[in-house]
Amino acid sequence: MNDWGSGFQGEVTVSNNGSTSLNGWTVTMTLASGQSITSLWNGVNTGTSGAVTVKNAPYNGTVAGAGSTAFGFTANGSGSAPTGVTCTSP
């Protein structure tokens, strides 16, 4: 996370620790009070503050066994990194 006082930039890596490909992924995370996503890349978000869900973009949903992909975002507000970060695959 890169914090500049009035905002920050974060990157989340989605890793596949298994041997077979994942076909789609969903990350959920909770932003601290006063934080909200202003820009997101390599994913599609539902919600911009509080509890946020990010799903794969059409081009990065398949993650090979032992592979990874990442998405990033900028947010306003400052302070702590998102909490409760979990990743699921259908």
Side-chain angles (χ1 to χ4, degrees):
M1 188 170 93
N2 181 14
D3 190 342
W4 55 83
S6 62
F8 64 97
Q9 177 178 329
E11 182 173 290
V12 177
T13 300
V14 176
S15 298
N16 180 356
N17 297 326
S19 59
T20 59
S21 294
L22 298 177
N23 292 311
W25 50 265
T26 301
V27 171
T28 57
M29 60 186 175
T30 302
L31 299 175
S33 178
Q35 295 177 341
S36 62
I37 292 176
T38 56
S39 177
L40 182 118
W41 53 95
N42 294 334
V44 178
N45 62 307
T46 302
T48 57
S49 61
V52 176
T53 300
V54 179
K55 294 185 178 198
N56 59 274
Y59 54 83
N60 66 351
T62 301
V63 182
S68 65
T69 189
F71 69 90
F73 62 94
T74 57
N76 61 16
S78 186
S80 62
T83 60
V85 180
T86 61
C87 182
T88 57
S89 179

